[in-house]
Each structure stands twice: as C-alpha cells, then as structure tokens.
Amino acid sequence: VYPAFTAVTGLSITINLTANATVQFWSTGSLETTSGVNGGSGCHVQVFNNGVGINSSLQTVDVVDPGGYTGTIAPWSVSGYQVLTPGAYTYTVRACKYAFDNFYAGGNTTSPVPNEGTLIVHVYY
C-alpha cells in the first residue's frame, strides 16, 4: 500500500468522448530530492483517470543524492492506453514518496529552472 498520491502541478487533461475510443497517454517529467539527509528519495509516479490509478502506468523513481547534498533530479516517463466508452475523463499525473527524504515534482522553484513535465493524450475513434 502506497502513501497518498499528490497531483503534479499542471499535468491534467480532460477529454469528452462522443463514441467508444482507444485513448493513448504519455507523461514525462522530473523529480528533485529536497534533502540529502537520507541520501535521496524513493518516489512513485502514476497516471490516474478520474481519480483512479492506472496500474500499467506506475513507475518507481529513485532520486539518489550523495550524503549532505540536495538538488539531484531524476526523470520519469510513463505511457499506456485504455479503451473507453463515451463520457468525460480527466487524466492526471500524481506522485508519492515511499521512502527516505521528500521531493518536488513539477512547479519546483528551488532549482535554477522549475522542474516541468508533460502529459499528452491522444484519442482514436
């Protein structure tokens, strides 16, 4: 059981399907550890659809810092697809810590350039 996931700022897309469709999604971005006390952060990143995690889109990201150092960045990249019926669907990217120190994901202002990410959703009717 993982701790609660937190939405990554800016990575949310809502689609409205008018017929049965295959929906392909892809997300990439970076996580940054915020403390070097334990030598890094253990994190999970996952794509959610209407608040429910998509099991095939879970990735573990370990952000490793040498002792006493802060600021190491590690990337994530997840993709997948779903076959869906007509309706509204909101895709979000969320992250959680599973071990060690805290981390930032998206909107991080502690690094020279804020960590950014992407969420791309394609609909095929």
Side-chain angles (χ1 to χ4, degrees):
V1 175
Y2 303 130
F5 280 80
T6 301
V8 178
T9 305
L11 299 187
S12 178
I13 296 174
T14 299
I15 59 172
N16 291 295
L17 302 180
T18 57
N20 291 345
T22 299
V23 177
Q24 180 183 24
F25 54 87
W26 177 72
S27 180
T28 186
S30 59
L31 302 171
E32 180 178 351
T33 193
T34 61
S35 172
V37 174
N38 290 311
S41 305
C43 316
H44 296 298
V45 177
Q46 187 170 19
V47 177
F48 284 66
N49 182 354
N50 288 347
V52 177
I54 302 168
N55 290 336
S56 62
S57 72
L58 175 70
Q59 183 182 21
T60 299
V61 180
D62 291 322
V63 187
V64 180
D65 274 335
Y69 179 77
T70 296
T72 299
I73 297 174
W76 83 75
S77 179
V78 294
S79 63
Y81 74 94
Q82 295 183 301
V83 177
L84 300 172
T85 57
Y89 299 92
T90 299
Y91 284 89
T92 57
V93 178
R94 302 180 186 188
C96 75
K97 177 181 81 167
Y98 72 83
F100 310 116
D101 296 325
N102 290 325
F103 65 93
Y104 283 112
N108 180 4
T109 58
T110 63
S111 60
V113 178
N115 297 342
E116 298 175 357
T118 60
L119 174 60
I120 299 169
V121 177
H122 293 279
V123 176
Y124 301 98
Y125 285 106

